[in-house]
Amino acid sequence: MSIGHTLLGLLESGPRHGYDLKRAFDERFGHDRPLHYGQVYSTMSRLLKNGLVEVEAIEPGEGPERKRYAITEAGVTDVVRWLSTPEKPEPYLQSTLYTKVVLALLTHRDAADILDVQRAEHLRLMRHLTERKRTGDLADQLVCDHALFHLEADLCWLELTAARLDRLAREVRA
């Protein structure tokens, strides 16, 4: 996810302080990975330097002065361009799990155990996401669906790989 573009998009509804941007980001997108304040302020500094935001006001606070940021026309143009650009599909052609399976076979370890442990971990996470989806709002449900579909595809791969382990072992060890 592009944090800079996300913060710019949040600024389109009106100027905000860094603290407000962090809170809005975390509420909408940061359930699993909330932003650190340092990340917000370093991103805002970069956006300011690139002319995508401006400081609309500087207000006194209990600590340092608080800057209220506003998106510029260049920032709006950048968000529009980002939103209209498709994301690169991630095919995971060189996954860590595949590497572990091959290394297990090369070193005469039990690759089936690796697949079983991974399957159990996927199923654990799927149960957690299913419960979160059941109790969450629509945004959370959609995020959970996305993750669950990917995990289901991974489970299919785990099953297919388990069924082909003997053949893979022969090819890897040849």
Side-chain angles (χ1 to χ4, degrees), residues 42-157:
S42 65
T43 301
M44 295 311 295
S45 291
R46 182 175 41 81
L47 295 173
L48 185 64
K49 178 181 159 200
N50 292 335
L52 302 176
V53 298
E54 61 190 8
V55 175
E56 183 189 75
I58 298 177
E59 303 164 352
E62 290 183 14
E65 293 179 325
R66 297 176 44 166
K67 294 178 184 175
R68 187 170 48 217
Y69 298 95
I71 191 168
T72 63
E73 285 301 315
V76 171
T77 300
D78 200 51
V79 170
V80 168
R81 183 176 30 251
W82 178 67
L83 289 173
S84 64
T85 303
E87 291 297 309
K88 179 183 176 222
E90 294 294 334
Y92 306 109
L93 291 177
Q94 289 297 322
S95 77
T96 303
L97 185 55
Y98 172 78
T99 302
K100 286 182 175 185
V101 168
V102 170
L103 286 175
L105 293 171
L106 283 172
T107 59
H108 300 280
R109 291 185 173 89
D110 192 349
D113 282 350
I114 292 170
L115 295 172
D116 288 343
V117 167
Q118 191 64 51
R119 183 182 302 105
E121 183 62 15
H122 270 61
L123 291 171
R124 183 199 63 74
L125 181 56
M126 289 175 84
R127 284 189 296 274
H128 168 75
L129 290 169
T130 300
E131 178 60 21
R132 179 174 155 186
K133 177 181 159 180
R134 189 182 67 73
T135 60
D137 61 11
L138 180 59
D140 215 27
Q141 291 170 12
L142 291 170
V143 167
C144 289
D145 279 339
H146 186 263
L148 285 164
F149 292 145
H150 281 271
L151 290 168
E152 286 175 16
D154 287 349
L155 281 176
C156 290
W157 182 87

Side-chain angles (χ1 to χ4, degrees), residues 24-37:
F25 181 97
D26 289 351
E27 285 174 5
R28 294 277 184 202
F29 313 109
H31 286 115
D32 297 319
R33 278 192 184 160
L35 286 179
H36 296 286
Y37 285 104

